[in-house]
Amino acid sequence: MLSVTGLEKRYGAVDAVADISFDLEPGSMAVLVGRSGSGKTTLLRCLNGLERPDSGTIRLEGEPLGRTDAALIFQEGALLDGKSALENVLDGGLARESAWRELLGWHTAAEKRAAIERLHAVDLAGCAQQRVGDLSGGERQRVGIARALHQEPRVLLADEPVASLDPVTARAVLERLASVVRREDLVGLVSLHQPRLAGEIADRYLGLADGRLTLDAAAADVDPERIGEVYNVPA
Ligand SMILES: Nc1ncnc2c1ncn2[C@@H]1O[C@H](COP(=O)(O)OP(=O)(O)OP(=O)(O)O)[C@@H](O)[C@H]1O
């Protein structure tokens, strides 16, 4: 279980994340909702270790969350366009490698086989050698998922991963993300602005308003009205 307790992150006078506590189970997908500026990105960055919280603890199965335990998928994938899909996925594993390998970007045959497997998991093994810059938006986001998986995370995070995709492609990418989380028994947490898409993949909802957690409930117990309350607008 991922346990977040009393998490706080301030930027000057702004409480971006204010005393947040929640638990998430492995093998289930949680969706993070909230208005723009409510603290979603800050929370995800704290979980991924990109931001250092001012206070609070983040534990996985009782131990402090390690540097490589969580992988974050960004809105635009944060991929290198000039490199192939396979090379981008391989780069995802570099944080686990020794410093000299990381420096040289040198990969073993076993690493390459594993990276192809990750592409296979998102139905993109056929695109392994293609330049990422030549792929469609949906394919790029699936490379982003494969890259994150190659970090071998136990917590898979995504910050508005389908914001730039059409609804049909967005849904396919999210379904792929949710199925990977469930199959590989990961803790999944994804921020989304599209409540309808959220409803199709969420096992659980977390809602933020002004940095505070105002919703923490199983998807079965959440109706559109409750989500509207998080956004402070009628459903
Ligand atoms: N590096 C930073 N320096 C100063 N203030 C910041 C920084 N990052 C975020 N903030 C502030 O913290 C608050 C939360 O921002 P955050 O980006 O986490 O919100 P969000 O819910 O992800 O928004 P969006 O949906 O627009 O991405 C905002 O008031 C924002 O202006």
Side-chain angles (χ1 to χ4, degrees):
M1 187 162 72
L2 178 75
S3 297
V4 171
T5 312
L7 199 72
E8 302 233 6
K9 177 69 192 175
R10 283 179 296 275
Y11 297 109
V14 176
D15 275 342
V17 167
D19 194 16
I20 285 183
S21 301
F22 60 84
D23 294 329
L24 296 177
E25 296 286 349
S28 80
M29 181 57 109
V31 173
L32 182 59
V33 294
R35 291 172 75 154
S36 188
S38 60
K40 303 182 298 296
T41 298
T42 306
L43 171 60
L44 291 169
R45 288 173 61 86
C46 286
L47 292 174
N48 191 45
L50 290 169
E51 293 285 355
R52 183 193 283 265
D54 294 308
S55 53
T57 59
I58 306 169
R59 293 181 171 268
L60 185 63
E61 310 305 346
E63 300 292 324
L65 194 69
R67 189 175 68 94
T68 58
D69 283 337
L72 177 59
I73 300 164
F74 298 89
Q75 184 173 332
E76 298 292 344
L79 304 170
L80 294 173
D81 279 354
K83 286 191 171 187
S84 69
L86 180 62
E87 287 168 324
N88 269 281
V89 174
L90 281 164
D91 285 350
L94 287 176
R96 290 185 281 109
E97 302 285 340
S98 59
W100 68 269
R101 271 225 218 141
E102 187 171 341
L103 208 62
L104 295 177
W106 186 76
H107 308 284
T108 63
E111 277 285 310
K112 285 186 188 158
R113 273 197 302 276
I116 299 250
E117 274 302 306
R118 313 290 182 211
L119 283 169
H120 188 64
V122 293
D123 269 342
L124 279 183
C127 298
Q129 302 303 338
Q130 242 170 291
R131 261 181 90 252
V132 156
D134 296 336
L135 298 178
S136 73
E139 288 166 341
R140 290 169 62 88
Q141 277 312 65
R142 284 190 281 148
V143 173
I145 297 172
R147 180 190 150 101
L149 286 177
H150 200 56
Q151 291 181 40
E152 297 184 354
R154 295 157 74 198
V155 178
L156 190 59
L157 309 166
D159 194 5
E160 292 180 39
V162 297
S164 58
L165 304 179
D166 69 79
V168 175
T169 309
R171 186 175 169 184
V173 167
L174 285 179
E175 280 171 358
R176 179 63 62 178
L177 194 61
S179 82
V180 161
V181 161
R182 290 174 190 135
R183 194 181 59 229
E184 305 209 5
D185 209 27
L186 308 176
V187 174
L189 179 60
V190 51
S191 72
L192 282 181
H193 270 310
Q194 305 95 323
R196 274 194 33 206
L197 283 174
E200 293 184 22
I201 58 153
D203 298 312
R204 188 159 201 92
Y205 281 97
L206 297 180
L208 288 181
D210 293 332
R212 299 195 172 273
L213 194 65
T214 58
L215 173 65
D216 179 4
D221 300 329
V222 175
D223 56 22
E225 198 176 318
R226 188 70 194 84
I227 304 231
E229 282 168 20
V230 174
Y231 287 92
N232 199 16
V233 291

